[in-house]
Amino acid sequence: MSKEKKYYQHIRELKPGEFVRNREAASELKHNSDVISLLEGSATMHASRRNFLKLAGFSTVLGTVLNSCEKPIHKAIPYLIKPEEITPGKSEYYASSYFDGEEFCSVLVKSRDGRPIKIEGNPMSSLTLGGTSARVQASVLSLYDDDRYKTPLKSGKEVSWETADSEITAGFKEISARGGRIVLLTSSIISPAAANAINGFLNTFPGTGHITCDTASCSGMLLANELGFGIRALPSYYFDKAELIVSFGADFLGTWISPVEFTTRYAAARKLKDKQADISRHIQFETGMSLTGSNADERYPIKPSEEKALLAALLASLTGTESSGTTAASGPVAKLSGELLSKRGKSLVVCGSNDTDIQLLVNQINYTLDNYGNTIDITRPVYLRRGIDPEMVKLVEDMNAGTVDALLLVNTNPVYHYPDAEKFISGMQKTGLTVSLSVAADETSAMSSYVCPANHYLESWGDAEPVKDHFGIQQPLINPVFNTRQWEESLLRWSGNLTGYKDYLKKYWEQNLFPRQKEKNRFYDFWVNTLQQGVFDPGITPGGHPSMKPVVPESNPLTSEGIEVHLYQSVALGTGRHANNPWLQEMPDPVTKAVWENYAAVSPKFAAENGLEDYDLIEINGNMNIPVMIQPGQAFGTISIALGYGRKNSGKVADGLGVNAFPLMHLAGGNFQPGGSVVTFTKKGQKHTVARSQIFGELDGRPIVRETTLEEYHRDPAAGNELHQEIEKKHVSLYAEPKYDGFHWGLSVDLNSCTGCGACLIACQAENNIPVVGKTEVSKFRIMHWIRIDRYYTGNPEQPDVVHQPVMCMHCDNAPCENVCPVSATPHNNEGLNQVAYTRCIGTKYCINNCPYKVRKFNWFQYAQNPKFDYHANSDLGRLVLNPDVTVRERGVVEKCSFCAQRIQEKKLTAKLENRVLNGEEVQTACVQACPAKALVFGDLNNPGNTVTGNFKNERNYYLLEELHTLPSVGYLTKIRNKQT
Amino acid sequence: MNSTKKAIVGVFGSEDSLMDALCMLQAENIEPEEIYTPYPVHEALRALKRRSRLSWASWFYGFFGGIAVLAFLYYTAVIDWPLNYGGKPFNAFPSFITVTLVLIILIVTIFTLLTFSIRAKIYPFKKAEIIDERVTNDKFIMVFDAGKVNRDQLYASLTQAEAEEIYEK
Amino acid sequence: MSYATEIRGPLVLGNKKLSQVSDDIIAPVGSQPGKWWYAGMFIASLMLVYGAYALYMTFTVGIGTWNVNNSVGWGWEIVNFVWWIGIGHAGTAFSIFLLLLRQTWRTSINRAAEAMTVAAVLCAALFPLIHMGRPWLFFFIAPYPNTRGPLWVNYNSPLFWDFIAISAYLLISASFWYLGMIPDFATIRDKAATRIKKAVYSVLSFGWTGSSREWMRYESTGFVLGGIAAVLVVSVHSIVSTDFASSVIPGWHTTLFPPYFVVGAIFSGFAMVMTLMILIRKIYHFGDYVTDRHLDAIARILVFVSLIMGTAYLTELFLAWYSGNEYEGFLIFKNRVTGEYAFQFWAMFICNAIIPQLFWSKKIRSNLSIAFVISLIINLGMWFERFNIVVTSLSRSYLPSTWVSYHPSHIEVGIYIGTIGLFSAAILLFFRYIPMIAIHEVKSVLKHNEREHGMGELKPDDQ
């Protein structure tokens, strides 16, 4: 409870440019303490007669209330003095930017009564176009993570900021005085202001170096581009302009560089609406089945070691020189080169490898195909990755040599992710002063002498330049929840600059960015405008594309016979920096549908030959125990393992889940290679079951997912969907067709656009207070997500086609679930919504059984405030993320997708206040809003103007299990594969 | 019958002897007040012209019960608080049939039992007016109102009808 | 009536006098039972304790302690519910059908059968209550005037029909059973030696005297109740079957269910009656009342019903193929006949359709120990049948992504064992405190023995 007091005083609404009024906070605090001490039933209160009576009276009332209604009482403590910008019960949206060191996204943050509760995409952004990813959606929960550092620490002990600052500064002074070396180790910095602050720091302490270390390193590409173009940066990729996309192990829809941006562009080129006759064609060569690979039109499993030879061969056949070295997959190469040449300047070849030579080959290929300036633009460099592995290796050498005297770590965790962690640790021990400025607890900060905890991004000021000449602003939504300080400000302090970082930022923008625009002539207007929009595009300075210095490495095709390991980032956890986020831990992997841990994916053939079955425990290199998962489409002779697991010191949620696979990386060409290390394994004989939200993945010829090829589609737009016409013909009903005279809400899912990334899933979880249930419950098939993404395989298990199908409540007009509820807890409303009255539900589960889509979920336990489910919903802090518009369901009731009824209601009220008719398309459910591919469309089926209405009339449209005549309000558009026959 | 009244009791050992006696007495137009038997003797009931109208009562219970139930269902489902379940019309009559049927049965049972208990005066904590304890075991007895019959004639006839014993109470 | 007895010979052997009948049947009532009784009661109580623990967990922690999940929403609890209800059918079916058909041979069995019914329905009624997520709100299911509108209930829901049907059935069968006992209580009262016993049974006997007026109304009440309860016997299990038949889930959605369920119920019920009667006969030496002929009759009924069951199973298979519905076809052939739940399917088929056929042979019919075993096997088979219907259908419904396996948790098993304990305890108490055979009915039958066969012992003839 005492904790809670703290939170309440902290969560004070914060508008740009004004800090909380202490008087108010104080009064609030006093107010709380009274109520709380009463609620405590309080040992702290001295037992005076007056207090006794007070307590007695209060507890009587409380008792009566508690007994009279089953809902647990939640304390709502009102403002004594209302801040004018807050209307209780009304949400406000603030533009900001998300950057976690890897992924950038321009966002709108929904704030309610002073606490941010939901992240949405910012439609104003020319980069992410309002899309988000699962990690962006989940980031709001990390703000309320109880395992974050709450105060500065000196070797584990709590210290005040003053002491920390003085001691650290003294340390730096001393070191630089004796010409010692200070190293600032950060993840990629895309914030111009922060970079400026860093420079300030470097200048104050001469002999200080700044080294960037990326967990998901692209140093191979950076170096290759430097060699080729003299620009050490990543180029911009325009997947929307490419008609033929060839990816060699780049999971650009899931985890590679800027997945949200790429997905929006990729999906745009795959849409078949508004008479767009053609869609781009996507060919993927990769080892493990990645999200991107699962969306490819053609996919070839290859061993990591084959990549180079393959690219060399491709380049050779493109340039006409005869191919050198033939590999398993070199068959398609000839065909591929033909296709590529026919698509000169309209094709795009990308590669996820971190090997400079390989990237040189790729650049060479794109250059030969005139893709530079068309689908690739090096003149708009991307700054999301800046880490150069050799520098990092060098640093570790130096540290061990003892030539580094002080190490500052910003948002990086080498003790966990540096492949040779022992070496780094020993280096750290040799380094005198180590200061970690990380936000949450991690392995490295646990070993540093000082921890100066930084703010969560929702508590921080900042800016971002993910791409040259595209700026994003970052503004705090809330006062720091704990006694933390954003790291930029710490650097400023230590370099003797006492201006608050907000002022510093404003000053920087006034000097550097304000001049770059004409619209606003007062900086204040410019600033406020930018804060409102969240983005600033000064406009690109057009310039011709630089020519490439052809550097072709001698291609030495090495194809090993050994078992090769392939390390990938899981779509949910990435490199593991968000491991302590229960939402992400319980997000089913888009492909395997596994949760809560990683595993070793092997191909069915490989498994059969080595006598492996699902969940068999194997030991890799004699030191890593991991369960096997048989993965269709996995390259033979390879093992794929997800990074980001096996955290040791990240908090109660993540610690000890899965194994840390970073040590399996190997150094090649100076860079750390996630793929290609040759390993040995032995079968342990034990089993370790991995919980999965979906176990069976075969369609058995059921018309659940309907697809066709592009040619077929051109011949007949209704191709693959013949069944729909047939059923429509037989369409008869005993009763009159349901008619809805106001709104009739509907949702359309374009299977061709949906990549299965799972952003919708987490958005729904955040919006609708969906509980996290943990591994054992998931393995009992009790996962609670209201929207799930079914994944099916078709064809040869070694090289299967994959489909992702989002399934949420269909809101059937003839709903089977409604008829069977004895207590009328789930009737149909006059807008076509299938409702659930939680208070009325007695939990017979009959509706769950009778739902053909099985979208109804049951609260098997009390999930909130239950020590058995010790995730965020179990602490007062964690529950601050709950959406007050949605009930937290109690034990024993059924719940399901409500089409975000609360959002519909909100928009209706807005329209009513503005005294106009609501256009159905104004309503965006959480999933629709989050979708980066715009695969989901929500709207009013009675409004002919709404896209959803058009989609429902589209020849491609069909309903799931329509033969049951449940009349769903969710339609699916057939999947079109651009296969060449 | 209250015990203040004098009663003459004729005890018989078997249903047959009882029946014979009954026929004989009725020939002499002597009507017994009541006959007590260990199990229902249908001949005797017939001879005494005992008829029950209980089944008629039950029929009416069922008839009006059914109407009441249907009315209730219609009122609650259509008039008072109509709700849309899976696009079915508010008056989902076929669904009503089942409920109505079962409830009719329930109503009939309950009311029939009540009627029985009222008419036959069989209800909890009722003090039984026992004439002769053996009737529930193996004896068949006739009871006559001493006030109504000619005592000597009755004695004669009972002896003639081989009553095992005759006594007054 | 007379014709029935003529073919079958005497219904009660051993040339009984009326008084003997009363003495024989009353003898066990209230008297010190043998060791076996205490042993049985001890075991039953152990089962009850396990059940109580399981219920405690269920109520305090939640039905999450079971292994049912978001695809298989119903598991053992509903399997057991249907199973018990089925057993609960015998009593009423027995007494009522045979009563209406004037089958006097029922007289020495129906009391036990009805007692069994009441116990079984009690066990069954437990499950719908506890399988709810929030059992403390069970009263929501009753259409009572309330302050929520008033919000009534959904008359389309088979669960509501269930609620009505089961409660009506429990009430009616109980009262029918009690009504039958009133004259017998009176008999006990009048023969009682101790004061307490007399007091107790005079209360129980509702002041019965045995006057012709009472008998007259008693009989007509009996017939009225019998007549309408007969409808109930058919309706209750048909309604239970609509829980499945009216759904859209393959394997549930079939019009075959109502008759199939009713017959199945009678099947399991009669099997249980047989089990019970064999016990009573053995323990209390009631051979004269529960004659070989009685058991023989039950066995004949069983063999006939078993044929119907077999036909029903085959019909299900045939329709699954003939309908051409891929979902149903897959379910029946890939998940039941073969596949994960093949064992349960074949156990059902063999126990219910094959093994009872042994009853064709007179030797086996008359061999009580074999008959006893078979009667148990039949009830096992009927349990598997319900498992097949409830679980296998849900575990493989329309969308493969929602397929999942279901195995019970020890809590679910515990609840089942608990109900078995409850049932046995109830039966044991019945043995001890209630006349196991309807005394007055037997007496009325006795007379016919005398009428048509004189007083001598008769040779039974089975043609």
Side-chain angles (χ1 to χ4, degrees), chain A residues 176-198:
Chain A
S176 56
R178 66 171 156 83
R181 179 166 173 222
I182 305 171
V183 173
L184 175 61
L185 185 63
T186 69
S187 63
S188 294
I189 304 291
I190 62 168
S191 157
N196 201 37
I198 290 175

Side-chain angles (χ1 to χ4, degrees), chain A residues 679-701:
Chain A
V679 296
T680 58
F681 75 87
T682 52
K683 201 174 158 192
K684 296 275 285 181
Q686 298 129 302
K687 287 220 173 244
H688 174 92
T689 311
V690 178
R692 301 160 84 170
S693 67
Q694 178 184 350
I695 296 135
F696 295 86
E698 304 73 26
L699 274 168
D700 295 314

Side-chain angles (χ1 to χ4, degrees), chain B residues 19-35:
Chain B
M19 284 315 298
D20 302 345
L22 189 58
C23 304
M24 215 172 84
L25 290 167
Q26 281 180 326
E28 298 167 25
N29 348 323
I30 307 174
E31 277 295 317
E33 279 294 305
E34 182 57 285
I35 293 177

Side-chain angles (χ1 to χ4, degrees), chain A residues 393-424:
Chain A
V393 179
K394 176 79 172 48
L395 171 68
V396 177
E397 296 297 343
D398 297 350
M399 283 162 70
N400 280 284
T403 60
V404 177
D405 304 282
L407 184 66
L408 271 80
L409 299 122
V410 174
N411 190 29
T412 180
N413 184 13
V415 173
Y416 167 69
H417 70 68
Y418 190 71
D420 192 351
E422 285 67 22
K423 193 155 184 207
F424 184 85

